[in-house]
Amino acid sequence: MENAVLLKAIIDNAIDGLITIDERGIVESINPAACKLFDFAPEEVIGQNISKLMPQPDRSYHDRYLFDYRKTGKANIIGIGRELIGMKKNGSFFPFRLGVSEVKYSGRVIYAGFIHDLTREKEAEGKLQDYAAQLEVQVEERTHSLRTSVSDLQKTQIELNQSLSKEKEFGQLKSRFVSIASHEFRTPLSLVHLSASLIERYAESLDQKNIGKHVVKIKDAVLNITAILNDFLSLEKLDSGMVKPSLSHFNLAEMAEEITGEMQVVLRGKQQIVFKHRGTIQKITLDQNLLKNCIIILIDNAIKYSGEESEIQFYTKINEHNCTIRVCDNGIGIPESDHKHLFEAFFRAHNTGNISGNGLGLSILSRYTGLMNGHVSFKSRVNRGTLFTLTFPQKK
């Protein structure tokens, strides 16, 4: 009884909205935060179809999801991080991020939707864009006022161009960081919050299976945040010059075999890694830790952006002049227009969608490779896959 009261208090006082629906889309419960977001009283929503809170085309998509579920018995609405548009009682719209979890409880299936209002974030993004536009206008006005002297104009024009370039670059990095941090930190934390609430509900009936499932979700979310923080720390160390190569002579083939084994735990579905070392030479002289991080970044990306039945090819080769490491997948590929920006910090290809990531991995990889006097190259086609090649010189 105390657990039930505590769970109700958590849900009723949650900052974000929480709505539960049955498999037909009928609202079974709605917390005060969600009522405030949509401007509806509970009795106006409970017992109604959830599509009441959606404008077109989201309403049609929802109806299609429910139709597919009744037809196949499989739900494709489960997930986190989808940005949608909600419709208030007065007909006005607002943006929000939705996380949905399937809950099997007392022999039936319900869906819990975790709703986070994005209105302030979107307003902040708009203000940032307005500031950038105002900055460009001010630069143009200053440039126009300095046209009195040819020599002064040339000098001032160079300074203004450099300043504008740096300010634009900073603004772009800041915008990317705000967007990525908002998504990559808030979404896992929202899932932690929701799963923790549901664990308490399951504890009443000792539903160990569902308790275990949500504990795994909490752990995955925490690991995701930890990985992001590690990438930020790696970038900071690189920027401050704290990373220095420590060369050693080691067996590349053995290290690659170890990495292949370690990465098995993060494979999805029926994915598999195929490793092969080519040639008779197996030892090289490089920074073993930096090289291992580079390889893990490439294999992790291949796993993340490939299908659940895909094969990831991993090859190493050493000759008298250099060693090469290749990681090839048949995943979503990289649009050609994004190739030139791929190794920039916080940049993500435009076709990554809701796949998690912070845009730092390849930037760190490129800089680690450069510290070891190596070179990174790639070939990629959309929906055909990507091949990354690392090349490092070797002394005779």
Side-chain angles (χ1 to χ4, degrees):
M1 184 63 180
E2 292 181 358
N3 287 339
V5 172
L6 176 60
L7 178 59
K8 185 177 186 304
I10 291 174
I11 295 174
D12 287 347
N13 292 280
I15 297 176
D16 289 338
L18 178 63
I19 298 177
T20 61
I21 66 173
D22 63 16
E23 60 186 13
R24 296 176 296 117
I26 303 303
V27 177
E28 292 190 351
S29 67
I30 180 171
N31 73 342
C35 289
K36 184 177 180 180
L37 284 175
F38 292 96
D39 290 338
F40 279 105
E43 59 270 20
E44 295 178 298
V45 178
I46 296 175
Q48 301 291 318
N49 194 285
I50 189 67
S51 61
K52 178 177 183 177
L53 307 178
M54 307 174 185
Q56 294 292 1
D58 291 341
R59 181 178 296 179
S60 298
Y61 294 155
H62 171 73
D63 292 337
R64 187 180 68 198
Y65 291 149
L66 291 178
F67 175 81
D68 291 343
Y69 176 74
R70 294 193 191 100
K71 184 177 179 181
T72 64
K74 296 181 179 179
N76 58 359
I77 60 174
I78 306 304
I80 61 173
R82 290 194 299 141
E83 291 191 6
L84 302 171
I85 299 297
M87 184 170 65
K88 295 178 179 287
K89 182 176 181 179
N90 62 6
S92 62
F93 301 152
F94 71 97
F96 68 91
R97 181 176 290 113
L98 173 67
V100 179
S101 180
E102 179 180 313
V103 180
K104 294 180 180 179
Y105 184 65
S106 299
R108 53 192 295 265
V109 176
I110 63 173
Y111 299 99
F114 199 86
I115 301 167
H116 177 72
D117 188 5
L118 294 176
T119 302
R120 290 187 176 180
E121 285 88 337
K122 297 300 182 182
E123 290 177 351
E125 290 177 3
K127 290 180 179 179
L128 187 61
Q129 293 174 354
D130 291 341
Y131 172 77
Q134 293 175 3
L135 182 62
E136 291 184 5
V137 171
Q138 292 175 2
V139 171
E140 291 176 359
E141 291 175 351
R142 288 179 60 187
T143 302
H144 179 73
S145 65
L146 294 173
R147 294 185 182 274
T148 55
S149 170
V150 175
S151 60
D152 289 343
L153 174 62
Q154 292 174 342
K155 181 179 178 180
T156 303
Q157 187 67 48
I158 293 174
E159 294 175 349
L160 287 174
N161 286 340
Q162 291 175 343
S163 175
L164 179 59
S165 177
K166 290 181 180 179
E167 288 173 342
K168 281 185 176 180
E169 181 179 359
F170 174 77
Q172 291 171 352
L173 288 175
K174 182 179 179 181
S175 179
R176 289 176 189 169
F177 174 81
V178 170
S179 177
I180 290 171
S182 175
H183 177 79
E184 294 300 323
F185 282 82
R186 191 179 298 278
T187 297
L189 288 175
S190 296
L191 183 58
V192 169
H193 188 173
L194 176 60
S195 294
S197 298
L198 292 172
I199 282 174
E200 294 199 13
R201 177 185 294 181
Y202 296 144
E204 295 180 11
S205 60
L206 297 178
D207 189 345
Q208 297 296 332
K209 181 179 180 181
N210 280 310
I211 290 174
K213 180 179 69 174
H214 284 280
V215 168
V216 169
K217 288 185 178 181
I218 291 173
K219 291 180 178 178
D220 288 344
V222 173
L223 288 175
N224 187 22
I225 294 176
T226 301
I228 294 170
L229 291 175
N230 287 338
D231 283 347
F232 286 165
L233 290 174
S234 296
L235 187 64
E236 176 62 23
K237 289 181 179 178
L238 283 166
D239 288 338
S240 60
M242 296 174 60
V243 181
K244 304 292 184 183
S246 178
L247 301 182
S248 63
H249 197 59
F250 62 94
N251 191 308
L252 174 61
E254 289 182 358
M255 186 186 77
E257 288 279 6
E258 292 176 2
I259 294 174
T260 301
E262 293 171 359
M263 297 302 290
Q264 298 296 319
V265 296
V266 296
L267 292 175
R268 300 184 298 114
K270 297 181 180 179
Q271 288 180 334
Q272 57 179 327
I273 303 173
V274 177
F275 167 70
K276 184 175 182 181
H277 180 77
R278 295 173 174 172
T280 58
I281 305 175
Q282 294 191 344
K283 291 191 173 182
I284 59 173
T285 301
L286 281 175
D287 186 309
Q288 187 170 357
N289 289 329
L290 292 184
L291 182 60
K292 182 176 182 178
N293 287 335
C294 291
I295 295 174
I296 289 175
I297 288 171
L298 291 180
I299 295 179
D300 185 65
N301 280 352
I303 293 171
K304 189 185 304 181
Y305 298 114
S306 298
E308 294 191 353
E309 297 185 359
S310 60
E311 180 181 280
I312 297 161
Q313 299 174 4
F314 174 25
Y315 302 119
T316 57
K317 182 179 180 181
I318 308 171
N319 58 35
E320 295 180 353
H321 304 290
N322 55 54
C323 79
T324 56
I325 298 164
R326 294 179 178 175
V327 176
C328 181
D329 65 64
N330 57 1
I332 64 175
I334 305 164
E336 186 174 354
S337 60
D338 291 338
H339 286 191
K340 61 182 178 180
H341 301 294
L342 197 60
F343 297 106
E344 296 177 3
F346 301 112
F347 179 81
R348 302 195 71 207
H350 291 84
N351 62 336
T352 54
N354 289 327
I355 301 174
S356 64
N358 53 39
L360 289 178
L362 290 179
S363 176
I364 293 172
L365 162 76
S366 176
R367 296 177 68 173
Y368 280 171
T369 303
L371 287 173
M372 294 183 285
N373 297 319
H375 173 72
V376 56
S377 61
F378 70 96
K379 296 179 181 179
S380 184
R381 293 177 63 185
V382 173
N383 297 324
R384 297 292 296 274
T386 303
L387 166 66
F388 276 93
T389 302
L390 303 180
T391 305
F392 299 94
Q394 291 294 294
K395 294 181 180 180
K396 294 183 179 180

